[in-house]
Amino acid sequence: MCGIAGFVGAWTPSLAAAMTAAIAHRGPDGDGLWSEDGVALGHRRLSIIDLSDAAAQPMHSANDRYVLTYNGEIYNFADLRRELEQAGAVFRTGSDTEVLLELFARDGLACVERLNGIFAFAVWDRRDRVLSVARDHLGVKPLYYASLKQGFLFASELKALTLCADLPRDVDAAAVADHLGFLWTAGENTMLRSVKKLRPGCALTVTADGTVSPSRYYRTPLFDAAAPPTPDDADALRDMIDRIVADQMVADVDVGALLSGGVDSSAIVAAMCRATDPAKITTFCAAVTKPEGGTDNFGDDQTHARTVAKHLGVKLIEVSTDADLISELPAMVWQLDEPTADFAAVQTMLLARAARENGIKVLLSGVGGDDLFTGYGRHTAGLIWAMANRVPGLRSVGGAVLGLFPPSSILGRRLQRIGALLSMPEDEMLADGMSYSAVGAGRRHMLLAPGLRDAAAADGIAEGLRASLMHTRGHHPVERFLDLELNGFMPDHNLNYSDKMAMRESVEIRVPLIDRRLVASAMQLPLNAKISLRETKRILRASQRDRLPAEILTRPKQGFGVPVRSWLQGPARDMMEDLTSPATVSSRGLFDAGAVAALKTDFYARRVDAAFTLFPMMAMELWCRALDNAAPAPETTAL
């Protein structure tokens, strides 16, 4: 697991060196830079497999035609190596890097279809002068790029690209609207119009003259009623998770796990115990002070994690995550490369730091279980919507009744939210269900500055979500939600903050529950194997019935982060006032100062649950301030 950066264009190698240095936290174990004739590849190394200097990057192929810089882990590299050796390949290292490079030398970009792993890589063909870039199937590892008239830039983190003096820094209006409604930017867009995210399962080639040709080699599958469904077999699912976890424990360093005491992370740790001695496994959980009262839904992770750790016989380290959030917020949003207003990112960072301090470079995580097997409240809402939609007028009546509940309690907020979704047409319901904001799309649109409103969709549906909605039309609303999760929320939010904040502490996070083999199987399960009105993640819970305590299997979904509503009403109120003051808002030009002031008044009076609308505004202002202060590296304009 590493950091990569580089370019094809009229810049000097010093730009690639500066970009690589900016992501040194991703790889403290080594660095490398290779360049020739308008091309440069940089690498920062976090040694996981083959710790020797021979496995350093950028790495040249045996025939010296190809040069690779790569971030990730290929879990099936041993099988691929044997195949290549049988065809005559001779290896100099024990690394997965060399296997990937020689596979590319044989198959070109088609090699990605053979890979089981998490990766982002760039390969320069010295003979044909073509750069090939690819990102893994589900988007676990990040890759940003900018195609400019001066050339093509890429890096593991957006902040590295800002070191190029030629990079335009205009803010993308659609991304501002996305963050306001969803906390993340859907699709390929970022906060900078000039910078894009390479989408999961996508690749592109860049010629020496700057011609960029994109392609897509993978998309998450949809349930096909005409195909034979995956058997509703909980034991088969358990065995598959065991095999995948064993595959993902491949490393020449110690492997630990994140353990929240929920069914997802607990299932991962239970599977680890089948692959190795439980006494050798160290797990980490967040210890949070739960607020008294309020409408923020936070559980007691450490109590449940202790139960699981004792039951399985693994070591548990409890990590206090009651950080000084006001001081952490500015650094957090810049580290994330996007102004993501979710303090779960800080908790991930603190857990990764504890792992590193305990000598662990690799952590397995339960991320993806909710997105693949239905774990969020919106999935239940989608099921209710579909049932109510069968009776003419029932959605309208149900929405009106549930809308009467005040949002002053957790239950009231949830019921009011379901009522709002019931009253919407299907596509609008699906898009709004993905939103963190309880402020309607119409009012959110009016919060934008007049100059940005025309560039943002008035219906609040992000362009990145609209593509998924088009692709899934005609499917059950819950199946459509799952597609939105796997192609939007997960890569653009959960996986992004997991990677960025763990790699800030030089720790790799692996995610067995979204191994593409498991995704292919789970997406072919009938919906009733996953969800009912009484239970989410039905088959996943059933798969662990003989391994985990009943109290873990029946534990409801609870939040991971901090009580933002209470925080903004109390200790962070002064900070919010500074970041959203009329003068600040008017100067920045992203929002309408009068509309923001009115929203704050409603929030303070508890008439509107606006915490997750105001918080993104704060994050965007902090991100823009960090961008203002991020000077380009010297001598980084094109020659």
Side-chain angles (χ1 to χ4, degrees):
M1 198 60 61
C2 309
I4 64 174
F7 65 77
V8 176
W11 296 287
T12 64
S14 62
L15 171 59
M19 291 164 62
T20 305
I23 54 175
H25 50 273
R26 297 187 70 90
D29 299 333
D31 66 279
L33 180 67
W34 174 86
S35 65
E36 69 175 17
D37 301 330
V39 180
L41 304 179
H43 189 264
R44 292 295 312 200
R45 185 182 183 194
L46 180 63
S47 303
I48 302 294
I49 296 175
D50 188 344
L51 311 185
S52 71
D53 291 341
Q57 299 182 49
M59 183 180 285
H60 290 242
S61 62
N63 62 9
D64 205 35
R65 175 178 170 180
Y66 301 101
V67 187
L68 166 72
T69 185
Y70 151 63
N71 168 31
E73 305 292 348
I74 307 302
Y75 304 129
N76 64 333
F77 82 97
D79 291 339
L80 293 170
R81 177 179 175 132
R82 283 190 290 271
E83 176 187 317
L84 290 165
E85 285 176 329
Q86 290 172 1
V90 177
F91 288 88
R92 299 155 286 164
T93 76
S95 69
D96 60 333
T97 304
E98 189 179 11
V99 172
L100 170 60
L101 181 55
E102 294 305 322
L103 188 68
F104 183 93
R106 189 188 74 177
D107 298 343
L109 260 179
C111 74
V112 293
E113 298 177 12
R114 303 289 312 284
L115 303 178
N116 175 23
I118 53 178
F119 56 84
F121 67 78
V123 179
W124 176 248
D125 182 340
R126 300 177 70 191
R127 188 192 72 184
D128 293 346
R129 296 187 58 76
V130 173
L131 183 75
S132 297
V133 180
R135 188 180 180 195
D136 63 66
H137 300 72
L138 276 300
V140 180
K141 304 314 301 174
L143 193 68
Y144 295 85
Y145 69 93
S147 183
L148 311 177
K149 65 180 181 181
Q150 298 89 349
F152 178 88
L153 300 159
F154 70 89
S156 296
E157 299 185 6
L158 181 149
K159 63 184 71 64
L161 300 183
T162 65
L163 292 173
C164 178
D166 293 316
L167 184 80
R169 296 190 174 196
D170 302 329
V171 171
D172 188 296
V176 172
D178 283 2
H179 280 285
L180 195 62
F182 303 96
L183 308 191
W184 41 278
T185 306
E188 66 175 6
N189 292 336
T190 73
M191 279 290 285
L192 296 182
R193 276 197 306 224
S194 58
V195 177
K196 303 299 181 185
K197 295 172 287 189
L198 186 62
R199 299 306 299 149
C202 287
L204 51 82
T205 57
V206 185
T207 60
D209 65 3
T211 301
V212 178
S213 301
S215 61
R216 185 166 196 168
Y217 67 89
Y218 173 85
R219 194 192 190 285
T220 53
L222 290 171
F223 181 77
D224 182 0
T230 298
D232 184 355
D233 187 337
D235 291 342
L237 174 60
R238 178 202 61 210
D239 294 344
M240 178 178 282
I241 292 172
D242 285 351
R243 290 194 300 273
I244 289 169
V245 167
D247 288 347
Q248 296 201 14
M249 290 179 71
V250 60
D252 294 329
V253 296
D254 290 339
V255 178
L258 298 174
L259 179 61
S260 69
V263 65
D264 303 334
S265 62
S266 300
I268 297 301
V269 176
M272 293 175 73
C273 292
R274 269 66 188 174
T276 191
D277 180 356
K280 296 180 180 179
I281 299 172
T282 302
T283 64
F284 300 84
C285 80
V288 182
T289 301
K290 187 174 181 179
E292 295 182 6
T295 60
D296 293 287
N297 177 33
F298 291 95
D300 185 7
D301 279 0
Q302 58 266 45
T303 298
H304 296 283
R306 287 174 201 153
T307 298
V308 175
K310 182 178 180 180
H311 181 78
L312 296 175
V314 300
K315 180 181 179 182
L316 176 68
I317 295 177
E318 298 177 24
V319 182
S320 174
T321 55
D322 288 329
D324 182 354
L325 300 176
I326 292 175
S327 64
E328 289 282 0
L329 183 57
M332 181 190 89
V333 296
W334 186 243
Q335 176 60 30
L336 290 172
D337 290 319
E338 297 275 343
T340 304
D342 190 342
F343 275 124
V346 172
Q347 290 187 317
T348 300
M349 177 193 74
L350 295 173
L351 290 166
R353 180 179 299 166
R356 185 76 187 198
E357 290 170 349
N358 282 273
I360 292 177
K361 286 184 176 182
V362 179
L363 291 170
L364 301 193
S365 165
V367 167
D370 290 319
D371 311 81
L372 191 58
F373 292 101
T374 72
Y376 296 118
R378 56 179 166 255
H379 300 140
T380 302
L383 190 65
I384 294 170
W385 189 99
M387 291 176 172
N389 196 51
R390 298 171 189 162
V391 181
L394 185 56
R395 284 198 298 106
S396 299
V397 173
V401 172
L402 293 177
L404 297 175
F405 285 85
S408 54
S409 68
I410 294 174
L411 178 60
R413 179 162 53 86
R414 286 178 173 175
L415 292 174
Q416 189 181 80
R417 177 69 167 148
I418 291 173
L421 294 175
L422 279 175
S423 65
M424 298 176 184
E426 185 170 337
D427 278 14
E428 186 180 337
M429 179 275 295
L430 291 165
D432 203 72
M434 299 300 296
S435 173
Y436 275 68
S437 176
V439 175
R443 186 168 186 180
R444 290 202 311 268
H445 192 70
M446 296 308 296
L447 287 168
L448 297 173
L452 272 67
R453 287 177 197 154
D454 291 342
D459 60 7
I461 301 179
E463 287 306 309
L465 299 184
R466 208 180 298 275
S468 172
L469 294 176
M470 295 265 306
H471 185 73
T472 61
R473 190 147 290 131
H475 284 262
H476 191 283
V478 177
E479 292 172 356
R480 301 184 75 191
F481 264 132
L482 293 178
D483 195 76
L484 288 164
E485 310 283 359
L486 294 173
N487 292 283
F489 176 73
M490 193 176 64
D492 295 322
H493 184 64
N494 272 1
L495 292 176
N496 181 60
Y497 77 65
S498 295
D499 172 87
K500 299 289 176 54
M501 300 310 279
M503 290 302 288
R504 176 179 172 176
E505 301 299 322
S506 306
V507 170
E508 170 185 326
I509 287 184
R510 299 179 181 178
V511 282
L513 292 182
I514 52 169
D515 182 287
R516 66 186 180 104
R517 293 168 291 177
L518 184 56
V519 171
S521 178
M523 291 303 283
Q524 200 52 40
L525 285 167
L527 198 58
N528 61 9
K530 297 180 181 180
I531 189 171
S532 69
L533 285 177
R534 298 180 59 186
E535 186 180 34
T536 59
K537 295 192 281 196
R538 298 182 67 206
I539 191 170
L540 182 61
R541 296 180 198 273
S543 75
Q544 303 300 310
R545 61 185 178 271
D546 296 329
R547 293 190 175 178
L548 299 174
E551 64 197 86
I552 301 302
L553 297 178
T554 57
R555 184 186 176 193
K557 175 71 178 175
Q558 291 179 305
F560 179 54
V562 299
V564 172
R565 295 170 182 84
S566 304
W567 186 69
L568 292 182
Q569 293 277 8
R573 182 164 176 165
D574 289 345
M575 183 186 198
M576 181 171 68
E577 285 297 337
D578 169 55
L579 296 172
T580 62
S581 70
T584 298
V585 172
S586 297
S587 175
R588 183 64 61 190
L590 301 181
F591 302 108
D592 182 284
V596 173
L599 184 65
K600 286 193 295 184
T601 298
D602 286 343
F603 173 66
Y604 290 140
R606 301 185 188 273
R607 289 190 294 267
V608 176
D609 180 17
F612 281 97
T613 309
L614 293 166
F615 190 22
M617 289 183 192
M618 297 165 61
M620 280 185 269
E621 173 60 26
L622 286 170
W623 190 89
C624 288
R625 290 181 184 183
L627 180 68
D628 292 342
N629 293 328
E635 302 179 2
T636 56
T637 51
L639 299 175

